[in-house]
Each structure stands twice: as structure tokens, then as C-alpha cells.
Amino acid sequence: MHEKQLIINVNPTETRLALLEQGDMSEIFIERCNEQGLVGNIYKGIVTRVLPGMNSAFVDIGLDKSAFLFGGDVLDAQKSESSLSLEDHKKIEKRPIEVLVKDGQEIVVQISKEPLGTKGPRVTTYLTIPGRYLVLMPNFSHIGISRRIEDEAERQRLKDIVEDLIPGESGLIVRTAAVGIEENLLRRDIEDLLQSWKRLEKAISASKPPSFLYKDIDIIHKVTRDLYSNDIREIVVDDQDSYIQLGNFLQECIPEAREKLVYYQEKTPIFDVYGIEIDIGRALNNRVELPSGGYLIIEQTEALTSFDVNTGKFVGKVNAQQTILSTNIEAAKKIVEQLRIRNIGGIIILDFIDMESLVDREQVYNILLESLRCDRARTNVLKISDLGLVQMTRKRTSESLERRLLETCPHCEGRGYVKSTETEANELMREIMRFHALTGSHKFKVKVRKEIEKWIEEKSRKFFETMASEHGIDITIENAQLNRKLLREASFEVWNTEEL
């Protein structure tokens, strides 16, 4: 069991949560104030166009882009059977989408995937309301047990409990966190979920489409709820308000986690202390080093992501076969690590170094599967081919870290990336606080590109006002006329005016 830590960094424009395993970042979650997460939100919308040829429909839910509803995500009441799993229910033959929904029809949907690129969000009519231990599925009679609960006796125990508690025509999914939990806690979780559903039912009846109906808890509470397990040693947060609110939430929902909550008050930025800024920087590179001297090249495209394994400087000590096997084993573990850190989803191609031995290929494949056991995202992995290729898919619900933090370079016609203006502006704000902590100075002159200056003026003025009032920091911002065409040139400069 790996020792874990959850590190939470909060500022007025951005919230970041990092899960550390043995001191290294394994997952990162980022939410910006102008880009609130949408997955899990429930809306009352209007079907604007049914596309029989694509077995799909577009739904107006009040966002900038219409939501996309696939035929397999439409609950067909006439076909619902509690004996089937949710995934099997979606796969069985259904009536055509033009029979299930009509143009102009009012419909209640939940966002299952964030908007990606030019695409709007993907929605489903299979509504779910998550709790700490259980997920309520209103209007769909079904009992599901998390695949990550492998002990058959425990699965049966949980199923027996839930069958006695299941409310009416609703369904329940038992989450991994329910392992070992007593019946009274599961019962309380169900009661809380039913109260949420009753409030949602009232909102559905009272609202006119398109309208927003329901949002899950905020990202700090949600990630903590979903990631917490007994092997998390501490939960560290650097914002007092967030610390208090999270403490109240944990006391109510996960009492045993409350004593692990720590308020970080030091001057050095929290992500610097735990080395997370360095890990994020590495996760934006397309080259990843392996311990032996080999390396991976990671390329993300619109259609798929590829991992290319290379021996690099590693020449081995025995023979070529052993060198290739050792490199591929290291790569299999590192690939899973990078999938989690970078939040890569969709179609993924792994190009291992060719292995002539079937035994070697099986060994690498099994290590890959074993490494994926720690990944919360659903994956489907095919066998290694004779050419050393593995085809796999990983469930994608939001943009990858690369697409989240970077933007298309305007000077290379989309063939590369540079950090976005928002990312650079947030780095600048952290650099000022870092400078202040190291030098103790309170007066700074900041020279920035005009794009950053504009972003600061429009989006983060509150942050600078907070620094001025709480830390006595006086900041002068100037346009440095830096040319972005010179990509190696600094995007900003920070000067200590007390030494000028």
C-alpha cells in the first residue's frame, strides 16, 4: 500500500489539487474560476435536432454550445431491466433515437463529458447523484458494485445490504469507499441522496428549459471525497477559508479524515515545498526519461495519443533481448504513471520496442495490466502485437493536462504549444509571492507582455488587491514590449524596487 498525500493550493483565480504517492505526483486536478467543471451537472433542456443517421441528438441546455446526446445514453423505460448492469443495458438493442426523443421535446440530462475543443459537452439521461459510499440512480432499477472491489465475500455483503435498502424504483451503485462500511452508514448515505433527489424533482417541475438544475459539490470537496482512502496520510490546504469549509465537510461525511487535515501557513508556496511545480513542468514535456536511460516520446493528436519507447543511452549488461525487455518493463510502468498525471483519454497506441519472444511480450503485457490496477479511469487493453504495438482506450471525461494548461502556438500553425497567457499570469502571481517569501521585500516592479498585462487587469485584479491588503505588497505593472515571436524570451520579469 502506497502512502499518499493530498495537497491543495487555492488562490482567487485557480484551485489545484495534487495526489502524491510516495512523494511523487500521481494525479493533478485544476479548476479556474472562469472555467468551472461541468461533469455531473444536471439540466433541463430542449432537443433542438435529432440526427437518425448518427443515432444522436443535439440538446440546448443553456450553454454556449449545444450538448450532444448519443442514442446509447438515452434511458429507454420499455427496455429497463434490473438484472442487467448499466453498461450492458446501454449495449442491448434499443429503439431508434428518433422514437425515443423528438425535436422540441423537454428533456432532463446530465453532463458526462466536458466540452473538448470545438465539441460541446456530452450528456446522458441516466441521471446519477453521488454520495460518499453510494451513487443514486433515480428512475433506473439497477444495483452495481464497483469493479475495484475484488473480494467476492465483501461484494456479496454489500449487495445484500443494498438490496434491503434500495429505494423504490431507483438504483444504486456501491463505490469502492464502501468496503468494510457498516450498514447504518450506508443507510444514512442513501437517506442523504434521496433528500437531494427530492429537491431535484421539485426543481425539475418548477423550471422551464433551458435551465440549470443541479451541481455536485465543489472541486475541493469532490476530489477529497472521491480520492480519500485509509492510506492517505495527510490532507494539506493553504487557504484558511477552504481549510475551515473542508474541515466541516469531513467532520460530517468522513469523520476519520478530519484529523488528517492540515492548514499550511508557511510563506513558501505549498506546491514548491512538495515539488509539485516541477512535476507539472515535466508533465508538459513530450519526452519522459526512464530510470535506466531509455525514454518515452509522447505525442497527443486530435485522434489519438501515442507513446514511443526508446532504449536511449541504455545498452544493458547481458544481451539485446534482456536490454529490450528491461526497457519495455520500465516503460509499461511509466506509461501508466503518465496516463494518470496527464489525464490522457481516448484511443492510445503504445509502441514498445520489438520483442521476438512471446514470453517477453506476455510479461510486459501483464505488468502493464497490473500497473493499470491503480488507475481509477476505465481502460480496455488489447494484447501486444508481433510489432510491439498495444492498442488501448482510457475513459475521457475532461481535457488532458496538456490541453488544459497549454494553447496552440500562433507562430507554428498548430504544430507545437506554448504556455497559455492565463497559465503564465498565474505563474507570475506565484513568482511574486515566492520572491516576497525569499526576500521579505514589499515593493515590486513587474514587466510583462501586453497579453499578460491585459489578463491581469481583467481577471486577477482581486488577487493583487488581496496581496496588497494582507501582505503589504506594492506592485507596479509595466508593459515590457516583449515579443512573443521570440519564444525563448521571458514572458515576464520581477524586480525588487527596494534595491533599485
Side-chain angles (χ1 to χ4, degrees):
M1 181 180 293
H2 290 170
E3 184 179 73
K4 300 177 182 179
Q5 298 161 287
L6 185 59
I7 312 301
I8 306 171
N9 168 230
V10 181
N11 69 51
T13 60
E14 185 179 59
T15 298
R16 303 183 299 171
L17 301 92
L19 178 66
L20 306 185
E21 296 181 355
Q22 300 294 95
D24 296 324
M25 184 177 76
S26 60
E27 294 186 57
I28 179 76
F29 305 85
I30 300 174
E31 183 175 88
R32 288 166 174 166
C33 60
N34 61 331
E35 296 177 357
Q36 298 289 316
L38 299 176
V39 169
N41 286 4
I42 297 177
Y43 299 81
K44 190 174 188 179
I46 300 176
V47 177
T48 57
R49 188 181 180 191
V50 177
L51 305 172
M54 296 181 63
N55 191 30
S56 60
F58 288 107
V59 183
D60 178 11
I61 58 175
L63 301 180
D64 293 339
K65 298 174 182 176
S66 292
F68 179 80
L69 177 63
F70 179 64
D73 292 322
V74 180
L75 175 61
D76 187 347
Q78 293 186 12
K79 299 284 186 177
S80 179
E81 298 180 35
S82 60
S83 60
L84 297 175
S85 72
L86 179 58
E87 293 303 317
D88 288 340
H89 177 80
K90 290 182 178 181
K91 292 176 183 178
I92 63 175
E93 185 176 353
K94 289 187 174 185
R95 294 182 294 165
I97 191 169
E98 61 269 26
V99 175
L100 299 175
V101 297
K102 303 291 184 181
D103 287 353
Q105 176 182 335
E106 296 184 2
I107 188 171
V108 178
V109 296
Q110 185 169 33
I111 293 182
S112 58
K113 289 186 179 180
E114 300 276 1
L116 298 173
T118 60
K119 300 176 182 177
R122 181 166 170 173
V123 295
T124 176
T125 64
Y126 291 87
L127 306 184
T128 59
I129 303 176
R132 167 61 180 153
Y133 307 114
L134 304 166
V135 178
L136 178 67
M137 300 178 61
N139 302 327
F140 181 58
S141 181
H142 163 74
I143 295 178
I145 310 289
S146 168
R147 295 178 304 155
R148 301 179 70 83
I149 302 176
E150 298 179 346
D151 183 86
E152 287 300 326
E154 178 63 9
R155 291 179 66 89
Q156 189 60 50
R157 182 187 77 89
L158 292 169
K159 184 177 181 181
D160 292 342
I161 292 174
V162 170
E163 283 180 340
D164 290 338
L165 300 178
I166 193 165
E169 297 300 319
S170 298
L172 288 170
I173 298 174
V174 180
R175 309 186 73 173
T176 308
V179 172
I181 298 301
E182 297 177 357
E183 180 177 336
N184 65 313
L185 294 178
L186 298 178
R187 182 185 298 275
R188 190 176 74 171
D189 208 28
I190 291 176
E191 292 172 352
D192 291 342
L193 291 172
L194 288 175
Q195 288 298 318
S196 297
W197 171 236
K198 288 179 180 178
R199 290 192 294 269
L200 180 55
E201 280 187 308
K202 291 180 180 179
I204 292 173
S205 301
S207 62
K208 295 182 179 180
S211 58
F212 167 76
L213 301 175
Y214 168 86
K215 181 177 178 62
D216 199 0
I217 52 182
D218 67 48
I219 187 173
I220 294 178
H221 297 166
K222 181 178 181 180
V223 171
T224 304
R225 178 195 67 192
D226 293 349
L227 292 186
Y228 180 78
S229 58
N230 291 332
D231 52 352
I232 286 188
R233 178 169 60 85
E234 61 179 359
I235 303 168
V236 189
V237 58
D238 66 356
D239 177 71
Q240 187 175 31
D241 289 343
S242 300
Y243 168 77
I244 294 172
Q245 293 168 14
L246 183 56
N248 293 335
F249 172 79
L250 293 177
Q251 189 64 46
E252 176 68 23
C253 299
I254 321 175
E256 67 273 18
R258 178 63 182 86
E259 62 186 26
K260 300 180 181 180
L261 183 62
V262 178
Y263 176 36
Y264 179 84
Q265 303 181 64
E266 302 301 322
K267 291 183 178 180
T268 305
I270 190 171
F271 270 29
D272 286 4
V273 172
Y274 289 91
I276 300 170
E277 295 289 7
I278 295 174
D279 289 339
I280 293 174
R282 288 173 178 164
L284 297 177
N285 294 330
N286 71 337
R287 175 167 169 147
V288 177
E289 303 297 331
L290 299 176
S292 65
Y295 62 92
L296 304 174
I297 295 295
I298 306 172
E299 296 291 344
Q300 294 188 54
T301 69
E302 187 72 22
L304 54 83
T305 299
S306 65
F307 287 77
D308 182 24
V309 182
N310 300 272
T311 55
K313 297 179 292 184
F314 182 48
V315 295
K317 296 182 180 179
V318 181
N319 53 46
Q321 179 181 347
Q322 185 60 41
T323 299
I324 290 171
L325 176 61
S326 298
T327 303
N328 282 340
I329 288 174
E330 285 185 354
K333 298 175 181 177
K334 184 65 71 171
I335 285 169
V336 174
E337 172 190 296
Q338 294 300 308
L339 288 174
R340 296 177 65 199
I341 291 175
R342 298 171 186 243
N343 191 30
I344 295 173
I347 300 173
I348 301 164
I349 303 297
L350 314 180
D351 185 7
F352 289 104
I353 304 169
D354 291 353
M355 295 172 285
E356 295 182 0
S357 168
L358 177 60
V359 174
D360 288 354
R361 291 202 295 269
E362 284 292 324
Q363 184 176 351
V364 172
Y365 178 74
N366 290 333
I367 288 174
L368 176 64
L369 294 183
E370 180 63 27
S371 299
L372 284 168
R373 288 166 62 89
C374 66
D375 188 5
R376 295 184 302 124
R378 186 167 61 249
T379 55
N380 181 32
V381 187
L382 301 184
K383 289 280 190 177
I384 299 179
S385 71
D386 292 342
L387 299 176
L389 296 178
V390 171
Q391 301 174 68
M392 65 175 290
T393 60
R394 184 172 186 268
K395 185 177 180 180
R396 173 168 55 194
T397 58
S398 60
E399 291 184 311
S400 67
L401 183 66
E402 180 180 282
R403 300 290 169 84
R404 193 91 171 103
L405 298 185
L406 307 182
E407 62 185 15
T408 304
C409 175
H411 304 290
C412 66
E413 298 179 353
R415 291 191 294 271
Y417 292 90
V418 295
K419 290 181 180 178
S420 68
T421 298
E422 186 172 358
T423 298
E424 289 179 335
N426 279 295
E427 287 186 353
L428 167 60
M429 291 186 283
R430 289 192 287 271
E431 180 66 17
I432 291 172
M433 293 303 297
R434 188 178 296 118
F435 214 128
H436 169 63
L438 291 174
T439 66
S441 300
H442 293 78
K443 292 185 178 181
F444 298 95
K445 179 186 290 185
V446 180
K447 293 184 177 181
V448 298
R449 290 187 292 102
K450 61 181 180 180
E451 294 94 336
I452 298 179
E453 181 182 27
K454 181 179 178 182
W455 192 93
I456 290 173
E457 183 63 32
E458 294 178 352
K459 303 294 180 65
S460 63
R461 178 56 54 188
K462 180 180 178 182
F463 177 84
F464 287 89
E465 292 173 351
T466 300
M467 284 198 297
S469 63
E470 293 185 0
H471 303 283
I473 298 176
D474 182 17
I475 303 169
T476 303
I477 300 175
E478 294 182 0
N479 187 338
Q481 301 296 327
L482 296 176
N483 187 348
R484 191 162 191 172
K485 290 183 179 180
L486 304 176
L487 296 180
R488 292 184 179 273
E489 190 166 281
S491 297
F492 55 79
E493 295 176 326
V494 180
W495 299 84
N496 178 4
T497 58
E498 293 179 348
E499 296 178 358
L500 296 180

